[in-house]
Amino acid sequence: MALSKQNPTTLNSWLSLDKQFKVECNDHISSFFEEKNRLDNFTISWQDFYLDFSKNRLSSTSLELLIDLCTETNLRNNIEKYFNGSAINETEKRSVLHTALRSSEIKNPDLKQEVDDALEKITNISDQINSGIKLGFTGKKITDIVNIGIGGSHLGPEMVTEALSFYSLGINPHFVSNIDPDFTSKLLEKLNPETTVFIIVSKTFTTIETLENAKKIRKWFVENANEESIKDHFIAVSNNTEAPKKFGISSDNVLSIPEWVGGRFSLWGSVGLIISIIIGSKNFKEFLKGAESMDLHFRNSPFEKNIPIILAVISIWYNNFFKCETEAVLPYNQFLGKLPDYLQQASMESNGKSIDRGGNKVNYETGSIIWGSTGTNAQHAFFQLMHQGTKIIPSDFIAFKKSLYGDSKQHDILISNFLAQTNALMMGKNSTGSEIHKNIEGNKPSNSIVINKLTPSSLGALISMYENKIFTIGSVLNIYSYDQWGVELGKSISRDISNGKQDNLDKSTIKISEILKS
Ligand code: F6P
């Protein structure tokens, strides 16, 4: 069954939001604190998460209307269709079931078998490498793993292995994604083929970057080791069963990506193999459990106390009513440095759409531009514009109560910065006369997401929180979040250019191509 199809701007809740926006759009956030129980109504405590969304340019009246919008767009039913495997990716006629990869409650026996088999394979490979049962071709312990893949076959695994590097069992992860040959050559300079395992990750096994990098690395391996050992040192993760075999990878070393897992949501299954190898299969399972518990919260909590839904409606509010074009993600944790990049793909590839589920061009805003960096580094880079510039940048500030190594003194300074920024963004500072240039209006919004500690489980929950936020935005805005036809167009034209086909190119591009070749 398909997701409901309604133009949100025609609904009563939207029309009321339009009116209410005009009433409150110039109000100062601090004035909303005069509302009764603002802090109770604009915070959610769930397990080891605490979300404070009180520092937003959003009254309780508008919040209620946004919740009504979710109801009017049949969000509850749509969520069920998402989790129960309906073919909600209609343009590709597919279910969207990455949540099944982390579910302990799968009802369909075939699906359960498929998920269990994949997890067993991930576990076995990681345990064998970490325990030293699986050795390199000269009998040495594996020291390095190279993930060859791009987009969803790269960003998630890299972000998570870096985020959870505190939990590493000691093997070094590397990532080859870009087709830039110099990067790969430089990496190969420092690798020893005797102790390195390569994982080629590509759902289609047709992505040019991944295949070219894999071929280059294979050649290097044959030159520096031997062809016979490819079967022991190369693993493939793919939905394509034939192409990895042609590449010389033994069928035992091919892990599958089911059709119903989209690339940008695939890190929970075989695409996460490198994560499981680096942090160990036990921690990988904790990561899955954390994500599952956030799924259950999303599926079962009332909309007004539902973290992903609240984050989604706040995003819709700023994007469509204030016309903010971007949202910043600001983790106060250096290990989460790649979270904004990861969320760029997860969110922008999903909700960057302009045709609705009924086939009409939309007359409202869809996906926001996601960007960000870690605090405190970001404070010394772009926060000036956030504090005093002309733009409103809705942002998620993410902090952990505890430091991993227990250095509470330095952690306290990090936290003081986190607190200071959200306070300053909201309150600003009044200056007049000769000090007018120091005037900071404030009234800049932020969400604070406070989590007990960065663990495999809490990171799983954090990523699942954002995935479910992305689903909610797409559901309410009546777009297909799980295809990516724009990217496909770019891919096919570059394939044509590589094959020397220029017939359909515009004059400007042909000229640049001539200059590049001259
Ligand atoms: O970037 C576009 C995309 O299609 C992503 O959705 C996907 O994650 C990536 O390319 C890589 O595709 P594949 O896993 O098939 O190599």
Side-chain angles (χ1 to χ4, degrees):
M1 274 215 305
L3 296 185
S4 56
K5 296 179 174 140
Q6 65 294 303
N7 180 333
T9 64
T10 61
L11 303 174
N12 287 338
S13 48
W14 190 287
L15 300 173
S16 305
L17 278 164
D18 243 342
K19 283 194 200 134
Q20 182 58 26
F21 174 72
K22 290 185 186 99
V23 174
E24 68 179 64
C25 64
N26 292 318
D27 288 355
H28 200 281
I29 301 172
S30 55
S31 71
F32 294 131
F33 280 83
E34 286 157 24
E35 289 177 343
K36 213 168 145 231
N37 302 331
R38 173 89 179 171
L39 267 193
D40 286 343
N41 296 338
F42 281 67
T43 54
I44 301 173
S45 289
W46 170 81
Q47 294 193 357
D48 54 352
F49 277 56
Y50 178 75
L51 167 68
D52 180 324
F53 57 103
S54 64
K55 295 189 186 85
N56 276 298
R57 293 175 71 158
L58 178 67
S59 69
S60 50
T61 311
S62 296
L63 178 62
E64 268 174 44
L65 290 170
L66 286 165
I67 299 292
D68 290 348
L69 177 66
C70 294
T71 310
E72 271 197 283
T73 53
N74 298 305
L75 178 60
R76 185 64 75 198
N77 279 341
N78 286 353
I79 291 174
E80 282 317 299
K81 287 176 192 164
Y82 165 48
F83 280 97
N84 72 23
S86 299
I88 64 167
N89 176 359
E90 275 188 79
T91 66
E92 294 179 313
K93 299 188 177 52
R94 287 180 194 161
S95 310
V96 176
L97 269 174
H98 53 272
T99 54
L101 295 169
R102 56 207 191 207
S103 171
S104 55
E105 296 176 359
I106 305 175
K107 301 228 166 56
N108 175 330
D110 294 339
L111 180 63
K112 184 165 168 32
Q113 193 64 53
E114 197 175 352
V115 170
D116 289 351
D117 288 351
L119 187 57
E120 194 184 327
K121 213 156 180 184
I122 296 168
T123 306
N124 288 343
I125 295 176
S126 354
D127 292 355
Q128 283 170 8
I129 290 180
N130 278 306
S131 63
I133 292 177
K134 181 179 166 49
L135 299 168
F137 71 96
T138 55
K140 292 188 182 155
K141 191 162 183 328
I142 301 301
T143 55
D144 295 80
I145 306 284
V146 181
N147 190 91
I148 310 163
I150 197 163
S153 300
H154 157 238
L155 291 162
E158 186 174 35
M159 184 272 285
V160 174
T161 47
E162 187 169 307
L164 297 179
S165 51
F166 177 78
Y167 301 89
S168 161
L169 300 183
I171 291 178
N172 305 308
H174 308 275
F175 294 86
V176 172
S177 53
N178 202 336
I179 188 101
D180 182 350
D182 295 339
F183 180 86
T184 314
S185 300
K186 181 80 195 152
L187 174 66
L188 292 175
E189 261 178 21
K190 61 177 182 191
L191 291 176
N192 178 354
E194 292 172 273
T195 56
T196 305
V197 164
F198 300 92
I199 311 176
I200 308 169
V201 187
S202 176
K203 185 170 171 187
T204 54
F205 228 81
T206 57
T207 305
I208 184 140
E209 292 91 335
T210 304
L211 293 189
E212 288 303 315
N213 280 325
K215 277 189 222 153
K216 182 181 169 91
I217 290 172
R218 185 187 196 281
K219 184 167 174 278
W220 170 88
F221 187 85
V222 171
E223 280 164 12
N224 292 278
N226 57 71
E227 185 138 14
E228 166 67 12
S229 302
I230 286 181
K231 65 175 179 7
D232 298 317
H233 283 253
F234 283 74
I235 297 171
V237 177
S238 185
N239 180 248
N240 183 334
T241 43
E242 288 311 308
K245 281 188 217 151
K246 283 195 195 126
F247 190 88
I249 297 177
S250 75
S251 46
D252 287 352
N253 277 351
V254 181
L255 282 70
S256 71
I257 306 178
E259 186 88 318
W260 39 263
V261 177
R264 53 193 174 273
F265 301 104
S266 61
L267 57 80
W268 312 102
S270 308
V271 173
L273 177 62
I274 188 166
I275 303 173
S276 179
I277 295 172
I278 299 304
I279 64 174
S281 60
K282 203 164 155 268
N283 278 325
F284 185 67
K285 285 172 191 159
E286 287 300 310
F287 174 65
L288 299 183
K289 265 197 212 154
E292 180 185 18
S293 56
M294 179 59 84
D295 287 341
L296 293 172
H297 162 76
F298 174 56
R299 217 171 157 180
N300 300 324
S301 307
F303 292 172
E304 63 281 5
K305 286 289 170 197
N306 192 312
I307 298 176
I309 292 178
I310 290 295
L311 294 175
V313 296
I314 291 173
S315 170
I316 292 171
W317 175 242
Y318 287 118
N319 189 13
N320 271 284
F321 294 89
F322 281 92
K323 305 287 180 205
C324 300
E325 299 222 313
T326 81
E327 277 171 36
V329 178
L330 306 161
Y332 274 64
N333 182 297
Q334 201 50 38
F335 292 126
L336 286 182
K338 298 210 161 64
L339 182 65
D341 293 6
Y342 168 76
L343 290 176
Q344 274 180 345
Q345 189 205 13
S347 182
M348 293 164 75
E349 203 166 274
S350 298
N351 289 336
K353 307 289 162 63
S354 50
I355 303 294
D356 73 14
R357 291 198 288 265
N360 312 298
K361 182 152 175 39
V362 297
N363 59 344
Y364 48 88
E365 296 295 327
T366 61
S368 301
I369 298 164
I370 308 292
W371 61 289
S373 179
T374 55
T376 62
N377 290 6
Q379 291 173 207
H380 301 273
F382 53 75
F383 267 48
Q384 167 61 31
L385 185 147
M386 290 179 66
H387 283 296
Q388 225 184 359
T390 52
K391 301 191 187 315
I392 302 175
I393 300 171
S395 37
D396 288 350
F397 281 73
I398 303 168
F400 295 89
K401 278 195 224 169
K402 293 187 188 135
S403 114
L404 292 169
Y405 287 90
D407 183 345
S408 55
K409 193 161 167 267
Q410 211 171 312
H411 190 72
D412 283 350
I413 304 174
L414 181 70
I415 293 303
S416 309
N417 275 277
F418 166 88
L419 295 170
Q421 301 312 309
T422 62
N423 172 264
L425 285 166
M426 175 168 91
M427 299 309 291
K429 185 172 177 260
N430 227 347
S431 295
T432 51
S434 64
E435 299 274 275
I436 185 74
H437 51 278
K438 291 187 184 167
N439 190 54
I440 298 163
E441 278 179 18
N443 212 14
K444 302 286 169 71
S446 65
N447 296 312
S448 295
I449 299 163
V450 175
I451 304 167
N452 193 32
K453 197 172 159 187
L454 178 55
T455 62
S457 164
S458 68
L459 181 68
L462 183 70
I463 301 169
S464 158
M465 175 192 88
Y466 277 114
E467 286 185 350
N468 291 322
K469 171 187 171 183
I470 291 164
F471 168 83
T472 303
I473 293 174
S475 167
V476 171
L477 295 180
N478 192 26
I479 49 175
Y480 288 118
S481 300
Y482 298 98
D483 58 18
Q484 58 285 320
W485 296 105
V487 186
E488 303 303 340
L489 173 66
K491 274 188 190 176
S492 80
I493 298 176
S494 49
R495 215 175 294 131
D496 284 351
I497 298 176
S498 302
N499 294 335
K501 207 173 146 216
Q502 301 221 331
D503 335 351
N504 296 328
L505 291 184
D506 64 89
K507 287 187 183 136
S508 154
T509 309
I510 292 172
K511 177 80 188 162
I512 299 170
S513 138
E514 285 164 5
I515 290 173
L516 279 165
K517 282 184 195 143
S518 65

